[in-house]
Each structure stands twice: as structure tokens, then as C-alpha cells.
Amino acid sequence: MGLGVRWTVHGDGRTPAPGAVVRPDERLSWPRTAGLGAQHVVAMFGASFVAPVLMGLDPNLAIMMSGVSTVIFLLATRGRVPSYLGCSLSFVGVAAVIRAQGGSSATVTGAVFVVGAALFLVGLAVQRFGARIIHAAMPPVVTGAVVMLIGFNLAPVTASTYWPQDQWVALLTMLFTGLAVVCLRGFWSRVAIFLGLVFGYGISWLFDLVFGRIHAANGAGQITDHWRLDLSGVGRAEWIGLPSFHAPSFQWSAVLVALPVVIALVAENAGHVKAVGEMTGDPLDDKLGTAISADGAGSMLSTALGGPPNTTYSENIGVMAATRVYSTAAYWAAAGFALLFGLCPKFGAVVAAIPGGVLGGITVILYGMIGLLGAQIWVHNKVDLRNPLNLVPVAAGVIIGIGGVSLKISDNFELGGIALGTIVVLSGYHVLRALAPAHLKQQEPLLDEGTSAYDEEAAPRTPPGPEKPGPTA
């Protein structure tokens, strides 16, 4: 079948005809393909650089490994699933919890490595037994609840760590980012987080110029007089060099905190594969298990070197929806750009210098959006929360996960927060379902229905091909 690295030139290689699409096995001219690859890199910038900073990991290594993971994904799916793998925001919450418990960067990457391994095994199981095993174990009511508590569990991080560093910059950044998400159209709305970062950078520089140093908490939580935007590290950084690597360290307490994220990653992958299949007109159900395994393999490799985990990015799916160019050659170009950026320490230093107030404004929206994705899963799958079979485990698990309720097992081990909340939702739902009367049991819709914001956008599109042109984007 090949590895999906051969493409035919679409048309004249310049501009697709009105209504035409560029299929995954096609490409435009190489200069235009490189430009599309650069656009994909910009699309994933916001989340892919914010996430490692929030997790306390090297942003240079994060961007480099996102390129490597994308290559692994494209080879594994043999070029049928055009997707970019960037740093997963789903792990930001567990990283914060692990560090609050005294864990180091090695502890974080060790816990996430195990999650990547679990995701890899889930993908193999889906390849062997079909997607029904996922739907049976993780129906939408469970998946939505876990995604929700992962997002909302982050609220104290914003409130206590980032926002107090500069409340006015945080407020202005939040307002600008919100306006960018809502008011901008097309490609620019896809990179609203990135635009918010740029705006926050500029406001912080302007406030330093006008008001001087700020007397507030710094990144370590100490009240000091300091500049909002400190670019001293940028001046010291080299233009070319390798990122910093470290080996993972494994602690069971940290692993248990991180494992629930597997549910969110499976939901993300299922939704994204479904959306891409609808957009390209190529049913990709047979590639779901491969895509999940490839995601897990990329995350394992990244975390083994000290980087963050990766997942398929809806931002890049949005770029494809806007441009109607589904060529995997563009993703190879994007991966190449990512590798080059990863070899530029000065670029990583610019990212690492993002002021805390800017992160405060960004994370207010970002963390809320992660949590509300869980509600989106419920809405799209018509989960009935009036049914006590759904309501009771969700209510208990979400409050435990968001509120940080803990269960002490022994002097050296306790469950709490995301881990305990997920256990309560997952086990509570299946136990109650086994005991519930027949009239409360309903057929659950498939897990991968409605997990992507691009489902409605992609559904009406006709299969690609010159014989059936669709509407222009």
C-alpha cells in the first residue's frame, strides 16, 4: 500500500478550481505546499506553545516532538488521515496536580508516558475488536463528564497562579482573546489564542514602558518588584542548538492522576478522525485504531525524551475546512518547519518569556473551553441528564474532580481530584446501569458523534473529486 509519501500534482499545481478540493494524495506546487505547511504551524502555535509552558516543560522540545509525532502519525495511517499532532492541553491539569504534590518535570513526563502507552494499547484493541469496545466502556455521558472535570479542575491554577501576577494585563488579554474568537472569521479565528498571546506581549511591554515595574507575585509566587516582560533570557539564548532532554521518572500516585486523560484523548481522536473522513469523503473507520495507536506512540517517544504528549489538533482540521486543501504533503512541510523551530533556542526563549498576566487572561478562556467541550459532547449526543442513571454518577464525579475531594487509602497513598472523579463517573455509571430498572436504560449513541466542532461544517460537503464539485469555502 505504500507509506503515503507520493502525491500527484493537483491541476496546474497553483490554485484549485472553484469548488474543487485537494485530496490527501494530491499536492499543489512545492512552494505553495510549503506555505500551507507554515500556515498549519501558525494554526497550532497558540496551544502547542502555551501547553508546555503551563506544564513547566521545554517549549523548544515540545515543538520539535510535535513534528516528529506528526511524521509518525502520517506514516502509520499511510497518508489517509491528514492531521497535525501538537501538545495536548488535556494534560495541563494533571501536570499542575503532580507538581502541587511535589513532582518534578521527570515525574510529569513519566506519568504521561504511561498514558501514551495505555493509549497505544487502546488503539491496538480497537484495530482488533472494532470501535464498539470503546463505545461500550466509555459512552458519551462518561466521556463528557471526564473532559469537563479535566478542564474545570484547572480553574484554581488560573485564579491563584497566573491572574494575580498582573490582573489588568490578564483582564485585557482575556477580553481581546474573547473578541478574537467571536468576531474574527476563517483562518484568523482559528489562531485567536496565538493572537491573544501577541496582544498580551504588546500590552505588557507598553505597561512596562508607561508604568515601570509591577509590585506583584512573580512566577514563583513571591511578591517582588519586577518587569512584566523580561526578555533577558532571549538575549542569552543561542540561535541554533538542541532543546533540553531528560528521562522520565515513574511514581504510581502521579500515574493514577494522569490515566483518566486516556478517555479524553480517545474522544479527541475519534471525533477528529470522523470529521476528517467526512471532509475528505473517505470513510476512515478502519483507521481509527491506527490513529489512536499512532497518537500513543508519538506521545511515548516525546515524553521519553522529556517532552509533552501530543494529540490531533482541531485547529489544523479547521484550516483544512477553510482552505479545502487536505494534502498530507502540507503536513509533512509543517512537520519540517516544527523541527527547524525546535532547533532554535532563541525562539523557545521568546515563548518562555510569556508574562504571567498574559497566561492568566488566556487560560481563563482556554481552560473553560476545555471543560465545556464535555458539555458539547453531552449536547451533540443528546445525553439525558434528567435520567438518574446519567445524573447521579456525573454529579458525584464532577464535584469530586473539580472540588479536589480526596480519599485517603493509606498513609502514603490517596486518590483525589481528576483520578477519583473519573473512577466515580466510570465505575458508578456501569454499576448503576447493571442494577437500574429496564426503563432507565437507553441505547447510548456512539462515542465519536459530536466530539469535533467541525462535524456540522464537514457534514454537508460532497466527496472530493472533479466530478462532484462542492461549494467554495
Side-chain angles (χ1 to χ4, degrees):
M1 292 179 62
L3 296 175
V5 293
R6 292 185 178 181
W7 304 272
T8 58
V9 178
H10 177 87
D12 61 2
R14 296 180 180 178
T15 303
V21 300
V22 180
R23 299 169 59 93
D25 59 352
E26 296 178 329
R27 65 170 176 83
L28 299 177
S29 66
W30 284 117
R32 287 171 174 78
T33 297
L36 288 166
Q39 183 173 249
H40 278 299
V41 171
V42 173
M44 64 83 180
F45 255 24
S48 245
F49 278 105
V50 170
V53 171
L54 297 177
M55 295 173 68
L57 301 176
D58 184 353
N60 269 76
L61 182 57
I63 189 65
M64 175 184 287
M65 296 312 299
S66 75
V68 174
S69 297
T70 298
V71 168
I72 292 173
F73 186 90
L74 293 173
L75 291 175
T77 58
R78 298 184 183 276
R80 284 186 58 198
V81 188
S83 289
Y84 191 91
L85 269 63
C87 182
S88 175
L89 286 163
S90 300
F91 288 92
V92 172
V94 300
V97 172
I98 292 171
R99 289 188 181 278
Q101 295 174 349
S104 63
S105 294
T107 310
V108 171
T109 52
V112 176
F113 178 91
V114 175
V115 175
L119 188 65
F120 178 79
L121 294 176
V122 169
L124 294 182
V126 172
Q127 290 181 55
R128 175 66 178 84
F129 301 106
R132 287 287 172 181
I133 63 168
I134 300 178
H135 307 322
M138 295 179 292
V141 61
V142 171
T143 308
V146 173
V147 173
M148 178 173 286
L149 66 87
I150 286 173
F152 290 160
N153 181 264
L154 297 167
V157 177
T158 294
S160 61
T161 302
Y162 298 119
W163 192 279
Q165 293 185 42
D166 194 332
Q167 60 178 359
W168 297 113
V169 166
L171 179 62
L172 291 172
T173 303
M174 179 194 72
L175 294 174
F176 177 88
T177 305
L179 287 171
V181 171
V182 174
C183 298
L184 297 180
R185 294 291 182 268
F187 170 75
W188 294 109
S189 68
R190 311 292 183 195
V191 295
I193 299 297
F194 175 70
L195 296 178
L197 290 174
V198 174
F199 174 83
Y201 243 86
I203 286 294
S204 298
W205 173 80
L206 181 62
F207 279 18
D208 280 343
L209 191 65
V210 175
F211 303 112
R213 296 172 185 260
I214 185 174
H215 183 75
N218 58 19
Q222 302 170 338
I223 305 297
T224 63
D225 290 318
H226 60 274
W227 298 110
R228 296 167 181 83
L229 180 60
D230 183 4
L231 297 177
S232 59
V234 178
R236 294 192 299 267
E238 300 291 336
W239 279 103
I240 299 176
L242 290 173
S244 58
F245 300 98
H246 69 258
S249 174
F250 302 96
Q251 295 183 10
W252 276 113
S253 58
V255 170
L256 288 174
V257 169
L259 271 177
V261 180
V262 169
I263 297 176
L265 295 180
V266 170
E268 284 179 353
N269 275 275
H272 292 167
V273 169
K274 177 174 181 277
V276 171
E278 289 177 342
M279 293 164 66
T280 61
D282 178 18
L284 296 173
D285 291 347
D286 61 316
K287 287 295 180 183
L288 177 58
T290 303
I292 293 174
S293 289
D295 190 344
S299 293
M300 291 169 64
L301 178 59
S302 177
T303 52
L305 298 175
N310 294 292
T311 188
T312 51
Y313 257 32
S314 59
E315 289 89 341
N316 298 92
I317 295 175
V319 170
M320 289 192 296
T323 62
R324 296 177 65 79
V325 177
Y326 309 123
S327 172
T328 54
Y331 283 102
W332 278 91
F337 284 123
L339 290 172
L340 291 177
F341 279 127
L343 293 173
C344 180
K346 193 174 288 292
F347 187 76
V350 172
V351 176
I354 297 173
V358 177
L359 293 177
I362 293 290
T363 54
V364 163
I365 294 177
L366 201 59
Y367 293 169
M369 289 170 66
I370 295 171
L372 289 176
L373 177 60
Q376 181 194 7
I377 292 173
W378 289 340
V379 171
H380 277 268
N381 291 283
K382 298 180 175 61
V383 173
D384 185 5
L385 291 179
R386 296 170 299 179
N387 186 338
L389 176 58
N390 296 330
L391 179 63
V392 171
V394 166
V398 169
I399 290 299
I400 287 173
I402 296 175
V405 176
S406 62
L407 182 66
K408 189 171 183 179
I409 307 299
S410 68
D411 291 338
N412 299 319
F413 181 74
E414 69 176 31
L415 285 171
I418 296 173
L420 182 58
T422 299
I423 291 173
V424 168
V425 173
L426 188 59
S427 61
Y429 173 82
H430 287 291
V431 170
L432 291 176
R433 187 173 180 82
L435 300 175
H439 72 278
L440 293 181
K441 300 177 183 180
Q442 300 175 0
Q443 179 65 38
E444 292 285 358
L446 297 182
L447 169 97
D448 59 0
E449 291 185 12
T451 54
S452 170
Y454 305 102
D455 285 347
E456 295 180 2
E457 199 172 327
R461 298 190 185 279
T462 57
E467 69 282 3
K468 291 184 179 181
T472 56

